[in-house]
Amino acid sequence: MHSSAVFLIEFGAIILCLGLLGRLAARLRFSPIPLYLLAGLAFGEGGLLPLGTSEEFVAVGAEIGVVLLLLMLGLEYTAGDLVSNLKTQYPAGIVDATLNALPGAAMALLLGWGPIAAVALAGITWISSSGVIAKVLGDLGRIGNRETPVILSILVLEDLSMAVYLPVVTALLAGTGIAAGSVTLAIALGVAGLVLVVAVRYGRHISRFVSTDDPEKLLLVVLGLTLVVAGIAQQLQVSAAVGAFLVGIALSGEVAEGAHNLLAPLRDLFAAVFFVFFGLHTDPASIPPVLLPALALAAVTTVTKIATGWWAARRAGISGRGRWRAGGTLVARGEFSIVIAGLAVTSGIDSDLGPLATAYVLILVVLGPLTARYTEPLALRLTGLRARRAAPDTGAGTGPDAVVPDQDTPVSRP
Amino acid sequence: MSTARTSRTPLPGIGVRYDLTTREHRHLSVVAHRDGSRTVSAYRHDDPDACALSVRLTGQEAEALVDALKPTHHSPTLLSTTELGLVAERIELSGTSHWNGRLLGDTRMRTETGVSIVAVLRRAEAFPSPGPGFRLAGGDTLIVIGTREGVDGAAAILGRE
């Protein structure tokens, strides 16, 4: 058979498989991410069907997938969103980072993987999945809930932190010496900061430059610009993903809306390819040995995320039940943990990190929607039992009602 | 009667939430999504942070609902009615309209029907009081004022393919 024919059949079969898996996921009302990862595991090294010719294209597709994932994330936010969240919610961000990154770092050190792997694993356990969580909020009809802004602002802060964290992790993984490493790091942070300032100040002008009425041209301009910036960022050791994220931030208004609609199908395609690619490079046989640490890590970081959400919601004046809902919703980890793990694996870090991350994400991407749904009733039942023994006290009904100024003023009839 | 006020909460990555507390101390909110759809929610009594009802509406459904909610009820496409028998309507030109690219003067609308064209809405712009030299395009929305018969006549003229 002709090699191009083999390629078409192979790549087509992968995409077709993903499509069918996606339909299955939709039927089960689940995120398709775990199924894509499992598909990758099934196809790759040590799997059922090793791939040949399409391997290289899938690798490039995976790169583009990461870039598009982050571009779309950047498009979701305006620079103003980021700045205002940073100003008002930074304590929640700090609590979130501390509680959820430390278990990952501790686990890597316990397993004897060294400090660089610890930084990578810290990121993997820290960042919640915006994609999964946004979908869960919509599915559960909680978009209008009062704890939702708390959840969203934590996600915003995490995504913003990625813009700093990814260059750091890239520099560390590059394995340069301390001196060269810190120079790279300074350059990386400088560039990220500069782009962020430019986006906040001159985002309008960039958007005007890109703006066009014709969808085809808009698609080409936005995609081209993003890939060029991502490539330059990669060259400067800032990591392509961050470059793409910053492009997304810089574009705003109508352009962002248009680009969002045009690029969504592309993102879906290449992001799926990215998850498969990650699975391809993980040998299924390597998962059972790391299953126990993955389970332990998932259990600990589920509890810490719930605590984070609970604390942040309390800080925002949300009553007891909403606090549990906020905590449970934040548990899902997903695309970002895999992005970080992908960076770590391609740089040749400890070979068990990839399988551990895969197992960890598989567990939490499945568990996350469930905790979002059931944390509140479970917590109420548990605390209710305790409350029944002690004095009955429910925080609901008096919490946020009392702290709504300018609304609850009684209406005087003339 | 004091005016009811809504408070505004930004939802990063989703849109904006507008909250309203009614005189009976029930909470309502509308989430304006970026894509133009809306989520209308009513809050529970026992848990004021959670929604008892949450309905997602498309832009058009939201407009229909707003229309039914408006205290001065009128038919859907009317901007306003007066006691004088005048009506104002939005009339949209289809993409394949006969008038696509032609001048407003060519429609001879005022001569034929006696209506006035107050403004033309094109995407996010409005062109107030367009003259006869104004060039129409498919997708434009014309705001037309006249008698009931006149406006119906104008709609027939503008409907030419």
Side-chain angles (χ1 to χ4, degrees):
Chain A
M1 228 178 356
H2 221 279
S3 73
S4 77
V6 175
F7 163 74
L8 287 177
I9 292 170
E10 263 188 13
F11 190 63
I14 296 175
I15 300 283
L16 185 62
C17 232
L18 295 182
L20 297 174
L21 286 171
R23 288 181 65 166
L24 180 68
R27 180 76 47 87
L28 300 169
R29 301 187 66 80
F30 248 78
S31 162
I33 294 173
L35 294 178
Y36 295 159
L37 281 172
L38 289 171
L41 285 174
F43 278 117
E45 317 163 23
L48 313 170
L49 272 176
L51 287 179
T53 36
S54 51
E55 185 90 49
E56 204 171 309
F57 181 78
V58 170
V60 175
E63 288 269 344
I64 295 175
V66 174
V67 165
L68 285 176
L69 266 175
L70 272 121
L71 168 69
M72 297 293 275
L73 191 72
L75 287 175
E76 293 280 327
Y77 304 130
T78 62
D81 276 345
L82 295 179
V83 174
S84 67
N85 267 292
L86 196 57
K87 276 182 186 156
T88 55
Q89 299 290 340
Y90 70 92
I94 291 168
V95 167
D96 177 41
T98 321
L99 282 181
N100 298 293
L102 285 180
M107 177 62 82
L109 293 175
L110 275 177
L111 294 169
W113 292 352
I116 294 175
V119 173
L121 196 55
I124 291 168
T125 55
W126 169 22
I127 308 286
S128 294
S129 164
S130 319
V132 173
I133 289 171
K135 197 172 170 321
V136 164
L137 285 173
D139 286 348
L140 295 176
R142 291 188 187 166
I143 300 271
N145 281 19
R146 285 176 193 233
E147 75 272 4
T148 298
V150 177
I151 295 168
L152 293 173
S153 63
I154 286 184
L155 294 178
V156 172
L157 287 175
E158 283 180 359
D159 295 337
L160 188 57
S161 312
M162 289 284 279
V164 178
Y165 170 86
L166 281 177
V168 171
V169 105
T170 317
L172 285 174
L173 290 168
T176 42
I178 295 289
S182 36
V183 170
T184 319
L185 199 59
I187 292 175
L189 292 181
V191 171
L194 181 74
V195 175
L196 212 55
V197 169
V198 168
V200 174
R201 284 271 167 85
Y202 305 108
R204 277 181 306 116
H205 301 292
I206 300 169
S207 297
R208 198 174 309 151
F209 163 72
V210 173
S211 182
T212 156
D213 279 340
D214 184 6
E216 183 191 346
K217 293 186 187 70
L218 183 68
L219 175 72
L220 296 176
V221 169
V222 172
L223 193 58
L225 181 72
T226 307
L227 292 175
V228 166
V229 173
I232 293 171
Q234 187 80 312
Q235 195 59 38
L236 291 171
Q237 302 275 348
V238 184
S239 103
V242 172
F245 178 65
L246 295 172
V247 171
I249 298 290
L251 297 176
S252 58
E254 214 172 285
V255 177
E257 190 57 47
H260 193 279
N261 296 337
L262 286 169
L263 289 165
L266 266 183
R267 187 257 329 249
D268 295 341
L269 168 66
F270 284 110
V273 168
F274 165 71
F275 293 123
V276 169
F277 175 76
F278 189 79
L280 285 177
H281 282 254
T282 310
D283 185 350
S286 62
I287 288 202
V290 295
L291 204 52
L292 213 58
L295 276 168
L297 202 52
V300 171
T301 54
T302 297
V303 174
T304 53
K305 265 293 176 197
I306 292 176
T308 305
W310 193 92
W311 185 86
R314 193 188 66 172
R315 190 172 160 266
I318 305 291
S319 69
R321 299 168 70 170
R323 291 174 200 170
W324 292 115
R325 277 196 300 271
T329 308
L330 281 168
V331 168
R333 314 290 204 284
E335 58 272 40
F336 274 123
S337 306
I338 297 292
V339 169
I340 296 165
L343 282 176
V345 170
T346 46
S347 73
I349 204 160
D350 194 295
S351 59
D352 275 347
L353 185 74
L356 177 67
T358 310
Y360 175 79
V361 169
L362 281 174
I363 295 164
L364 282 188
V365 83
V366 172
L367 192 67
L370 297 175
T371 56
R373 174 83 188 71
Y374 296 110
T375 302
E376 175 206 358
L378 276 175
L380 286 183
R381 188 168 301 174
L382 294 174
T383 52
L385 287 176
R386 245 181 294 156
R388 222 166 294 159
R389 285 181 203 143
D393 168 44
T394 52
T398 53
D401 276 318
V403 288
V404 186
D406 88 340
Q407 282 188 33
D408 284 356
T409 45
V411 178
S412 53
R413 302 295 299 270
Chain B
M1 279 271 299
S2 71
T3 51
R5 270 207 303 262
T6 56
S7 65
R8 191 170 173 285
T9 313
L11 298 178
I14 293 180
V16 182
R17 191 183 77 209
Y18 299 98
D19 292 289
L20 176 75
T21 304
T22 67
R23 267 169 52 179
E24 294 171 347
H25 298 288
R26 292 303 307 268
H27 300 290
L28 293 171
S29 80
V30 174
V31 175
H33 296 263
R34 295 223 179 119
D35 59 3
S37 62
R38 299 283 185 270
T39 300
V40 180
S41 309
Y43 292 84
R44 289 161 52 162
H45 262 312
D46 60 342
D47 181 3
D49 298 325
C51 303
L53 156 129
S54 188
V55 185
R56 182 106 184 226
L57 304 169
T58 64
Q60 276 138 354
E61 288 161 349
E63 272 185 26
L65 185 66
V66 163
D67 232 75
L69 284 171
K70 274 217 174 115
T72 50
H73 190 74
H74 47 65
S75 76
T77 58
L78 257 51
L79 295 169
S80 65
T81 55
T82 62
E83 304 301 303
L84 305 169
L86 284 181
V87 292
E89 270 197 19
R90 295 160 165 261
I91 300 175
E92 193 170 335
L93 278 186
S94 70
T96 57
S97 169
H98 170 77
W99 304 111
N100 186 1
R102 289 194 160 77
L103 297 179
L104 183 58
D106 297 348
T107 62
R108 300 174 44 78
M109 193 113 55
R110 185 168 298 197
T111 319
E112 302 279 338
T113 63
V115 300
S116 291
I117 295 172
V118 183
V120 176
L121 310 179
R122 181 174 296 169
R123 281 202 297 275
E125 286 181 286
F127 302 96
S129 342
F134 182 85
R135 198 170 287 284
L136 294 165
D140 284 356
T141 300
L142 283 72
I143 296 183
V144 178
I145 292 195
T147 60
R148 182 72 263 173
E149 298 77 22
V151 170
D152 289 345
I157 291 174
L158 290 171
R160 273 181 64 186
E161 291 290 319

